Amino acid sequence: MDVRQFFEGKGARLYMRRIKVGRFLLTVAASLTLLTQTVSAAATPMLNKYVNWNYGTEDEKGFNGYIPALDKQVINNPWQLDQWAGLFAFPDGQTRIVQNYDVFNVKKTSADTNFSKENGFGLVYKSQDALEDLFDAVWSGQPIATNQRQYFKKKFSLNADDPVFKTGHEYYYMIKDRFDFLRTAGIVQRMGIKFNQSQKVGSSYRALYTVSAWPQMKVTNGSTLSISYNGYGYSERDIRLVAVKKGAFPDLSQAVSLTGGKFIHIETDKETATGTVKINAKQIASVLGKDVDIIMDDGYGRTVIQSVTLSVDQPMDYVPTKLTMTDEGQMWVEFRYDGEDIISSDHVYKNGIPNTLSVKIGGAITTEFNTGSRYTQLPQTLTKGATFNAYLGKLDVGKNPGKYYIKATAVINNPSHQERALEFPTTAYNNNSIKGEWMIEVKGPENDLIAQSITISPNSLKTGQAGTITAKVKNVGKQSVPNVRIRFYANEKQINETKRTLPANTSVTVGNFLWKGTEGIHSIRVVVDPLKESPDKDRGNNVATTGCRVDTPNKGGIIMNVTTAMSTVSGMSRII
């Protein structure tokens, strides 16, 4: 079938229905006539620089992937590299012919002697560079601004690294067990292009594609910014609408979302997506200033940019209203948002609002310190008059008895912090602090732990003989004290330890263990609460001491069993 027959036959009617523009068909017809004259010319495959194959290369094995015409996955199938032409029809009536359109012909069955060209389909090497080559081949000559072209090109090339393209995916192929490819008809969908059909023209073949329209956007300026958009395509996609400082594109790192941080999701059955988004212009100006660019990304990387000068300011203010300290020492501040309704993520860093707490403590001890915290519980939409409670930290004055005077200053949205939330006007930062004062009293323990006595029986020993050590301790107070540690020492060496619960006002016998000493006179001690772990209002009576003499079997001596509880009173010692 020649070109004229094609346009007069059934194929022409199908193609006309798809393009729907009479004048456009005439341009395509002219392009196809030129194609029949040039497609047979020698060309280098697009994949040549990646795998070093030429048209006509074939192998009886090594092709792995999905064959659309056969509707099945194949493994180690025969293949042949063939030259087709790709014809991309643009909505303005222009066409772009890619003469080195790489097609892999396959055999219908392993028993076939010839490759089936009508079952062939295009593949592109799976790498960012190869996808950039394909992009340039399709979009060359189109009037696209340089920065928008590069943004579109980069976004498309990154599809090479999409983890979805792996073994089992219908667009993924591996050839000769080491070369990765993607089906061209599948991957160009991510440029807003769809494959229509393949046709034979003379002895050559072509693949016909339709390119969807470039997106459109209209911005109506005012106190409420209105953005009307039209997006076009043939696959599932996410439209993004943002504002950036004028001239910042393609850097979108500081973009303000115009859709609450969400994408406008378009399903595959919607070739045209139309809508309007409205947003308070003050919200944008408060973050980016008055001169901004409104940008639409149609989900493929095709962008529309419109510059707008905003002329409004939006009040935003965070005001602390109450500073409290709980009985447990927790510090909390209540604060209120005063201003117009905003999307908080557009004006507050993701780490939250930075707050500080400065504290001075006087009295039984004197100290001061500063601490910082972040409040991260703001809602997505921040409304005027909304109140919040932020935890600032916890105070602990210790266990030393006495009265403590506490002065604290809390600062909401610290104006000196580099990641402070935006407030407007500048004077709004002047009311961010609040002060509070408290007095607390730490009462001393009411219990007194006493070491009453210690004995060793007998108190005169022969070498190798053991004596029994026993002590009496007491808790003078109104309440029992649990797990009181009690230690015994011979001279300076610890020889025993126990823990006992001491009931109120009751003597308790502890110890009753055997001890052997070396020759000489020994000091035997019992110490109640040696590590100061239990409440005790007088630690001067926590030790009781006795003595013991150890002789060789041929020596003798007498030592008095004197038990002392040492208590210092006015610099003097007394016996209890």
Side-chain angles (χ1 to χ4, degrees):
M1 178 186 294
D2 61 17
V3 177
R4 185 172 181 178
Q5 290 174 324
F6 168 73
F7 277 95
E8 292 176 351
K10 180 179 180 180
R13 291 191 297 274
L14 175 61
Y15 195 60
M16 287 179 182
R17 285 196 301 271
R18 291 185 175 179
I19 297 180
K20 301 178 182 179
V21 182
R23 181 176 60 84
F24 183 41
L25 287 175
L26 295 177
T27 304
V28 173
S31 299
L32 289 176
T33 302
L34 177 62
L35 175 62
T36 60
Q37 299 171 353
T38 61
V39 74
S40 60
T44 301
M46 294 181 68
L47 56 75
N48 179 266
K49 67 179 181 180
Y50 304 105
V51 296
N52 201 30
W53 300 335
N54 293 309
Y55 292 127
T57 300
E58 61 182 57
D59 200 329
E60 285 302 312
K61 59 183 180 180
F63 187 91
N64 301 280
Y66 177 76
I67 299 178
L70 304 181
D71 192 22
K72 68 177 183 178
Q73 292 273 350
V74 299
I75 298 176
N76 215 22
N77 210 65
W79 59 275
Q80 179 189 62
L81 180 60
D82 196 10
Q83 177 186 3
W84 284 28
L87 189 147
F88 294 84
F90 288 85
D92 62 356
Q94 298 187 36
T95 58
R96 173 68 181 169
I97 299 173
V98 179
Q99 295 188 17
N100 54 341
Y101 182 86
D102 301 338
V103 169
F104 282 74
N105 296 327
V106 296
K107 293 183 178 180
K108 293 182 178 179
T109 67
S110 57
D112 289 348
T113 57
N114 297 319
F115 288 97
S116 174
K117 290 192 174 186
E118 60 269 23
N119 288 337
F121 53 95
L123 294 184
V124 58
Y125 190 70
K126 186 179 179 292
S127 75
Q128 290 189 28
D129 288 344
L131 291 195
E132 287 186 355
D133 291 344
L134 177 60
F135 179 95
D136 290 337
V138 174
W139 292 95
S140 178
Q142 290 297 309
I144 308 171
T146 301
N147 59 349
Q148 291 176 271
R149 177 185 292 273
Q150 287 302 115
Y151 177 85
F152 183 18
K153 181 177 179 178
K154 184 62 177 178
K155 188 167 184 178
F156 174 67
S157 69
L158 290 175
N159 287 301
D161 299 324
D162 190 333
V164 72
F165 296 131
K166 58 184 179 180
T167 301
H169 194 283
E170 64 172 320
Y171 295 158
Y172 172 78
Y173 301 81
M174 178 173 284
I175 300 177
K176 299 178 76 69
D177 294 327
R178 63 182 184 276
F179 299 118
D180 298 321
F181 285 84
L182 297 171
R183 195 194 316 167
T184 307
I187 197 66
V188 296
Q189 292 183 76
R190 298 195 177 190
M191 288 193 287
I193 299 172
K194 72 173 179 179
F195 172 74
N196 286 321
Q197 61 181 330
S198 58
Q199 290 290 336
K200 184 178 182 182
V201 180
S203 60
S204 301
Y205 286 82
R206 61 172 174 254
L208 303 180
Y209 286 95
T210 298
V211 182
S212 60
W214 199 265
Q216 300 170 338
M217 180 181 69
K218 180 181 179 182
V219 179
T220 303
N221 201 355
S223 58
T224 297
L225 209 62
S226 178
I227 303 99
S228 299
Y229 64 87
N230 291 297
Y232 309 94
Y234 306 109
S235 61
E236 189 175 10
R237 58 204 183 274
D238 290 314
I239 294 175
R240 185 183 183 192
L241 290 171
V242 299
V244 299
K245 287 186 177 181
K246 187 174 181 179
F249 181 84
D251 181 5
L252 302 182
S253 60
Q254 300 298 320
V256 174
S257 173
L258 306 182
T259 54
K262 299 179 181 179
F263 294 110
I264 301 171
H265 185 72
I266 307 301
E267 300 293 345
T268 56
D269 58 346
K270 293 185 179 180
E271 294 186 6
T272 301
T274 301
T276 299
V277 171
K278 295 184 178 181
I279 188 170
N280 191 327
K282 296 179 181 179
Q283 297 185 31
I284 304 173
S286 62
V287 179
L288 302 174
K290 297 180 180 180
D291 293 319
V292 300
D293 287 334
I294 307 299
I295 301 173
M296 172 190 177
D297 180 334
D298 71 346
Y300 300 119
R302 299 185 296 190
T303 53
V304 186
I305 304 174
Q306 184 172 335
S307 297
V308 176
T309 297
L310 306 172
S311 58
V312 291
D313 295 314
Q314 180 171 8
M316 292 177 287
D317 194 8
Y318 300 93
V319 182
T321 55
K322 187 178 181 181
L323 183 61
T324 58
M325 182 175 68
T326 68
D327 292 340
E328 294 76 25
Q330 293 182 347
M331 300 294 296
W332 291 82
V333 63
E334 179 183 281
F335 67 97
R336 182 183 68 245
Y337 172 72
D338 289 341
E340 296 190 14
D341 295 356
I342 60 172
I343 298 172
S344 59
S345 59
D346 288 343
H347 307 276
V348 181
Y349 281 83
K350 63 180 180 181
N351 292 329
I353 291 179
N355 304 320
T356 63
L357 176 68
S358 301
V359 178
K360 292 184 178 180
I361 301 176
I365 61 172
T366 301
T367 186
E368 59 182 272
F369 63 89
N370 300 309
T371 184
S373 60
R374 294 282 194 138
Y375 186 75
T376 59
Q377 304 302 314
L378 291 179
Q380 178 66 16
T381 300
L382 195 55
T383 58
K384 182 178 182 178
T387 58
F388 309 94
N389 282 285
Y391 177 65
L392 300 174
K394 185 175 181 180
L395 303 184
D396 186 2
V397 298
K399 298 180 180 179
N400 291 333
K403 292 183 179 180
Y404 296 86
Y405 301 91
I406 299 172
K407 294 184 178 181
T409 301
V411 179
I412 294 298
N413 193 34
N414 179 12
S416 301
H417 200 286
Q418 62 182 1
E419 291 189 357
R420 65 184 180 274
L422 186 67
E423 296 190 46
F424 189 87
T426 305
T427 54
Y429 291 109
N430 295 341
N431 58 5
N432 289 29
S433 64
I434 188 172
K435 298 180 182 293
E437 295 185 12
W438 299 267
M439 185 188 76
I440 61 175
E441 182 178 2
V442 177
K443 294 183 177 181
E446 297 181 356
N447 298 77
D448 187 11
L449 305 180
I450 301 173
Q452 292 182 294
S453 65
I454 182 170
T455 61
I456 179 169
S457 180
N459 68 338
S460 181
L461 303 172
K462 300 296 183 180
T463 304
Q465 182 183 2
T468 301
I469 297 176
T470 305
K472 287 187 177 182
V473 299
K474 188 176 183 179
N475 165 28
V476 178
K478 297 180 180 180
Q479 297 178 339
S480 65
V481 180
N483 297 317
V484 178
R485 189 187 305 272
I486 302 168
R487 282 182 180 174
F488 293 83
Y489 295 85
N491 303 318
E492 298 304 320
K493 181 180 179 181
Q494 180 181 326
I495 57 175
N496 189 271
E497 179 178 291
T498 185
K499 282 188 174 182
R500 297 289 295 274
T501 294
L502 303 185
N505 301 311
T506 302
S507 292
V508 176
T509 299
V510 294
N512 198 27
F513 62 91
L514 296 175
W515 173 81
K516 295 179 181 180
T518 59
E519 183 180 1
I521 297 176
H522 300 273
S523 174
I524 309 298
R525 290 183 296 136
V526 63
V527 182
V528 180
D529 192 24
L531 303 182
K532 300 180 180 180
E533 301 167 298
S534 302
D536 187 4
K537 66 181 180 180
D538 182 6
R539 297 191 178 275
N541 55 14
N542 291 33
V543 181
T545 306
T546 190
C548 178
R549 178 170 182 158
V550 180
D551 293 314
T552 61
N554 294 327
K555 294 182 179 180
I558 299 174
I559 184 170
M560 294 181 65
N561 186 0
V562 180
T563 300
T564 60
M566 302 303 297
S567 176
T568 301
V569 180
S570 300
M572 300 179 62
S573 297
R574 60 187 177 90
I575 303 292
I576 298 179

